[in-house]
Amino acid sequence: MESTGDEPSRALPPRFNHETFFGRMLYMFDQFDPRPLFATETQLKEAKVLVEGYQSRKSDPSPQKLEKAQKLVECCLHPDTKEPIFVPFRVSAFLPIAIPIGLGLLQPNAGIGSVIFWQWMNQTHAAAMNYGNRPIQKAHSNNATSVNVLATPWDSSIKIERRAIHSYLGAVGAAMGVSLSVRSISMRIKNKTLLLLAPVCGVVSAAVANLYLTRKHELEEGIEVETPSGKCVGRSQIAAEKAIIETAISRAVLPLPSLGLTPFMFQYLESAPW
């Protein structure tokens, strides 16, 4: 299929129904699929060319080829720059990296050094994921100045916002401080239940601290409010507060099944009369 040059860009067919919770859940499961991690650089380039060719109406690949290429593009390329995301920072790499970290957080009778190390690893991994998948265009549109951006010591071309550094340090501090405090209190009062909750308390407090430090400026400046058609009608501090509170609740609830319930399951299995 040849493009005349005057035709509008063609939208990619949705692979999942994002209008329903089940469809969005399937989309996230698909994003966590680790198989795209094994895609070569050549395969990523070919997938990018195929998707762009379809969008510009210069090619009309089969639905199977388009779906496969679309998945590689969504999982491996940054949505703004269209460049490959560093492999450990991709969403596809989340489970292979997060599962060992989760096991480290849940190890029984962990010492102070172990608690500090695994909480640091967990927050460093979260910060790396956020950095690798950050919205590039939005950061540029916010007129970030050199005062708010720092160059990394190993590569001056890589810039990191001061806000991201503050959020990372705040999250690490909250994770270590809360988990060690809960651990200390539980050992002092000899409460094993509280000791089992130390990892999840650290993770939840770090997630909330990271969220607040990252988005506290929205409480002052507000966030853009759009109509269903996507037209911006202004900025709202109330909408920003509502969004931050709901996000904080979700970040507090999401770790509970894996880090909150698993220790008690292990405890039950250990004490069960087999």
Side-chain angles (χ1 to χ4, degrees), residues 66-188:
L66 180 61
E67 182 177 3
K68 184 177 180 180
Q70 191 176 345
K71 177 172 180 174
L72 286 180
V73 168
E74 291 177 353
C75 294
C76 303
L77 303 185
H78 194 283
D80 293 337
T81 65
K82 305 302 180 185
E83 295 297 324
I85 300 172
F86 186 44
V87 174
F89 297 175
R90 297 175 187 173
V91 178
S92 300
F94 179 79
L95 291 179
I97 297 177
I99 289 177
I101 293 176
L103 293 176
L105 289 170
L106 294 173
Q107 60 178 315
N109 303 317
I112 294 178
S114 178
V115 171
I116 292 175
F117 174 76
W118 288 112
Q119 289 289 354
W120 170 77
M121 278 291 296
N122 184 52
Q123 295 309 316
T124 300
H125 175 234
M129 291 284 295
N130 291 336
Y131 176 80
N133 296 275
R134 71 198 186 284
I136 302 293
Q137 291 178 346
K138 184 176 180 180
H140 286 257
S141 64
N142 286 339
N143 298 321
T145 64
S146 58
V147 177
N148 298 319
V149 178
L150 296 176
T152 57
W154 59 88
D155 189 343
S156 59
S157 65
I158 300 178
K159 309 292 184 181
I160 301 179
E161 290 187 27
R162 290 179 183 270
R163 185 187 303 158
I165 298 175
H166 294 161
S167 300
Y168 169 68
L169 295 177
V172 171
M176 293 181 181
V178 172
S179 57
L180 289 175
S181 298
V182 173
R183 177 183 181 276
S184 176
I185 294 173
S186 62
M187 294 182 69
R188 187 176 303 171

Side-chain angles (χ1 to χ4, degrees), residues 6-264:
D6 298 327
E7 297 175 341
S9 176
R10 178 166 51 177
L12 292 169
R15 297 191 298 126
F16 301 95
N17 183 7
H18 291 268
E19 298 298 324
T20 66
F21 172 80
F22 187 68
R24 294 191 295 271
M25 182 179 69
L26 290 178
Y27 171 76
M28 291 307 304
F29 285 163
D30 184 71
Q31 291 289 294
F32 287 134
D33 182 1
R35 289 176 296 177
L37 294 175
F38 300 100
T40 64
E41 185 176 349
T42 301
Q43 289 175 319
L44 293 182
K45 289 181 179 178
E46 292 175 349
K48 179 181 176 182
V49 170
L50 189 147
V51 169
E52 290 179 346
Y54 175 85
Q55 291 177 310
S56 61
R57 301 178 184 272
K58 293 180 180 179
S59 63
D60 196 10
S62 65
Q64 294 77 11
K65 286 185 177 181
L66 180 61
E67 182 177 3
K68 184 177 180 180
Q70 191 176 345
K71 177 172 180 174
L72 286 180
V73 168
E74 291 177 353
C75 294
C76 303
L77 303 185
H78 194 283
D80 293 337
T81 65
K82 305 302 180 185
E83 295 297 324
I85 300 172
F86 186 44
V87 174
F89 297 175
R90 297 175 187 173
V91 178
S92 300
F94 179 79
L95 291 179
I97 297 177
I99 289 177
I101 293 176
L103 293 176
L105 289 170
L106 294 173
Q107 60 178 315
N109 303 317
I112 294 178
S114 178
V115 171
I116 292 175
F117 174 76
W118 288 112
Q119 289 289 354
W120 170 77
M121 278 291 296
N122 184 52
Q123 295 309 316
T124 300
H125 175 234
M129 291 284 295
N130 291 336
Y131 176 80
N133 296 275
R134 71 198 186 284
I136 302 293
Q137 291 178 346
K138 184 176 180 180
H140 286 257
S141 64
N142 286 339
N143 298 321
T145 64
S146 58
V147 177
N148 298 319
V149 178
L150 296 176
T152 57
W154 59 88
D155 189 343
S156 59
S157 65
I158 300 178
K159 309 292 184 181
I160 301 179
E161 290 187 27
R162 290 179 183 270
R163 185 187 303 158
I165 298 175
H166 294 161
S167 300
Y168 169 68
L169 295 177
V172 171
M176 293 181 181
V178 172
S179 57
L180 289 175
S181 298
V182 173
R183 177 183 181 276
S184 176
I185 294 173
S186 62
M187 294 182 69
R188 187 176 303 171
I189 64 177
K190 297 181 180 180
N191 188 320
K192 192 171 183 180
T193 299
L194 186 60
L195 181 62
L196 293 174
L197 291 175
V200 72
C201 289
V203 171
V204 169
S205 61
V208 175
N210 179 282
L211 174 68
Y212 173 74
L213 292 172
T214 303
R215 301 179 60 179
K216 65 178 181 179
H217 66 285
E218 295 180 0
L219 296 174
E220 302 172 357
E221 302 170 4
I223 59 175
E224 292 184 350
V225 179
E226 299 179 349
T227 63
S229 61
K231 180 182 179 181
C232 179
V233 295
R235 304 183 70 88
S236 170
Q237 293 175 316
I238 296 177
E241 181 180 355
K242 183 175 184 293
I244 291 175
I245 291 176
E246 291 181 353
T247 304
I249 293 174
S250 67
R251 290 193 178 187
V253 172
L254 287 176
L256 294 181
S258 57
L259 296 180
L261 299 180
T262 304
F264 294 98

